[in-house]
């Protein structure tokens, strides 16, 4: 069954729920990530990419973690990077960073950055804490090579603000594609979540998230597709939720949430009569 959903608003709901390659300069003008006219979310909500930042070329996991820092661009020039190769990778968390962009070279061929499930099955691919104005672009992020064998999300955010995920693919076997707690102002733009195993999205105490032209597809989930708790102003615009398998017969599970919107979205459930929401 395929349904097109236009502007569904759920207000006050209580529902269940030092690098190889050296440094360069980035001389681009400042970028604000534009949302189409008519969106409920203003253009300046999700942060700005500032010009004249140092560019660090990334060829390996060691390059990547050594380059992490504020006010810089990490440009991934390798086709794929096993982050597990970094010595002491277990427990690595990106903390207290601002104005950092991590990007691949080409949106058509995103750089693959992954965690080897044979070595680390309980670690997120990228985990951010107390970070501000972070951009992930042209990346393919996930756990590899064994599907449905890990116990961690693909990307995780705690206490962060102004996050942009653009032209990225987040793939399993992550338990969730995105997990966020106490995080505000995240734009998930023209990106995909696939092959996850618990929820595609899990948000707690979050606000002002927009999933714009997003695709949530081909996830084999033991719970609902989208889990929201104590969150507000979470929007889905021009997005597709298609061909997911879930043990639950609903798409969104929300507890103590308000201002959850779906505008011009398509839900295809493979013929099952699933509900958009589970209400208690």
């Amino acid at each position: 069954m395929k349904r097109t959903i236009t502007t569904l608003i759920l207000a006050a709901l209580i529902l269940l729920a030092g690098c190889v390659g050296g440094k360069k300069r980035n001389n681009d003008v400042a970028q604000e990530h534009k949302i189409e006219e008519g969106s409920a979310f203003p253009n300046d909500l999700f942060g700005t990419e500032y010009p004249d930042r140092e560019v660090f070329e990334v060829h390996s996991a060691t390059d990547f973690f050594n380059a992490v820092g504020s006010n810089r661009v990490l440009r991934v020039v390798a086709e794929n990077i096993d982050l597990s190769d970094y010595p002491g990778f277990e427990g690595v968390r990106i903390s207290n960073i601002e104005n950092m962009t991590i990007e691949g070279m080409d949106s058509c061929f995103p750089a693959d950055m992954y965690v080897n499930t044979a070595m680390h099955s309980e670690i997120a691919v990228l985990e951010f804490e107390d970070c501000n104005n972070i951009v992930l672009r042209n990346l393919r992020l996930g756990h590899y090579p064994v599907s449905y064998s890990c116990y961690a999300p693909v990307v995780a955010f705690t206490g962060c603000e102004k996050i942009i995920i653009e032209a990225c693919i987040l793939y399993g076997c992550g338990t969730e594609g995105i997990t966020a707690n106490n995080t505000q102002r995240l734009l998930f733009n023209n990106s995909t979540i696939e092959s996850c195993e618990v929820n595609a999205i899990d948000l707690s105490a979050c606000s002002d998230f927009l999933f714009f032209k997003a695709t949530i597809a081909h996830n084999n989930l033991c719970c609902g597709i989208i889990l929201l708790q104590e969150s507000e102003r979470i929007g889905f615009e021009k997005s597709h939720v298609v061909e997911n398998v879930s043990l639950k017969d609903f798409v969104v599970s929300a507890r103590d949430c308000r201002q959850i919107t779906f505008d011009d979205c398509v839900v295809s459930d493979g013929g099952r009569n699933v509900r958009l929401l589970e209400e208690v």
Side-chain angles (χ1 to χ4, degrees), residues 67-72 74 93-101 128-134 160-161 163:
V68 166
S70 296
N71 302 307
R72 58 188 60 189
L74 278 61
R93 182 182 292 119
I94 299 173
S95 303
N96 299 301
I97 298 298
E98 63 180 9
N99 304 327
M100 181 176 71
T101 296
F128 298 87
E129 183 178 64
D130 298 326
C131 292
N132 178 60
N133 214 22
I134 302 297
C160 296
E161 185 173 3
I163 306 296

Side-chain angles (χ1 to χ4, degrees), residues 1-8 236-242 251 261-269 274 276:
M1 177 187 297
K2 180 178 288 185
R3 292 176 289 165
T4 300
I5 303 163
T6 59
T7 315
L8 172 61
F236 296 81
E237 297 183 8
K238 301 182 184 299
S239 293
H240 289 70
V241 184
V242 296
V251 176
T261 62
F262 284 78
D263 187 7
D264 195 16
C265 294
V266 174
V267 175
S268 177
D269 53 30
V274 301
L276 183 62

Side-chain angles (χ1 to χ4, degrees), residues 15-177:
L15 301 172
L16 178 65
C19 298
V20 175
K23 307 174 184 179
K24 299 181 180 179
R25 304 299 296 185
N26 175 39
N27 296 316
D28 295 339
V29 297
Q31 297 183 52
E32 289 184 357
H33 292 257
K34 300 296 184 183
I35 305 303
E36 291 179 5
E37 185 176 354
S39 172
F41 294 80
N43 283 325
D44 60 354
L45 187 66
F46 303 107
T48 300
E49 288 188 82
Y50 293 100
D52 201 32
R53 292 176 295 166
E54 289 184 336
V55 177
F56 292 76
E57 291 190 349
V58 173
H59 300 262
S60 67
T62 298
D63 285 353
F64 175 75
F65 287 108
N66 285 348
V68 166
S70 296
N71 302 307
R72 58 188 60 189
V73 177
L74 278 61
R75 187 159 293 154
V76 184
V77 297
E79 291 185 6
N80 56 77
I81 293 178
D82 181 354
L83 296 175
S84 313
D85 287 341
Y86 181 67
F89 170 72
E90 187 169 356
V92 171
R93 182 182 292 119
I94 299 173
S95 303
N96 299 301
I97 298 298
E98 63 180 9
N99 304 327
M100 181 176 71
T101 296
I102 305 168
E103 63 181 13
M105 300 290 288
D106 188 342
S107 61
C108 295
F109 302 96
D112 196 352
M113 301 176 71
Y114 63 91
V115 171
N116 190 324
T117 54
M119 300 173 62
H120 302 286
S121 62
E122 300 182 0
I123 300 177
V125 179
L126 293 177
E127 184 172 359
F128 298 87
E129 183 178 64
D130 298 326
C131 292
N132 178 60
N133 214 22
I134 302 297
V135 178
L136 307 179
R137 179 189 294 116
N138 301 341
L139 301 173
R140 188 171 184 267
L141 305 172
H143 295 83
Y144 181 85
V146 182
S147 297
Y148 303 104
S149 63
C150 61
Y151 307 95
V154 180
V155 293
F157 302 95
T158 302
C160 296
E161 185 173 3
K162 298 182 182 178
I163 306 296
I164 297 170
I165 301 173
E166 184 172 68
C168 289
I169 299 171
L170 312 184
Y171 67 93
C173 62
T175 49
E176 300 89 13

Side-chain angles (χ1 to χ4, degrees), residues 240-255:
H240 289 70
V241 184
V242 296
E243 301 301 325
N244 297 288
V245 175
S246 172
L247 296 181
K248 304 293 185 178
D249 62 351
F250 57 88
V251 176
V252 179
S253 174
R255 176 187 297 157

Side-chain angles (χ1 to χ4, degrees), residues 10-11 18 22 28-29 39 47 88 113 128 130 170 191 195 201 203 207 216 227 230 235 243 273:
L10 316 173
D28 295 339
V29 297
S39 172
M113 301 176 71
F128 298 87
D130 298 326
L170 312 184
S191 294
S195 302
I201 299 165
L203 310 182
S207 62
I216 302 170
L227 176 62
E230 300 179 348
E243 301 301 325
N273 186 25

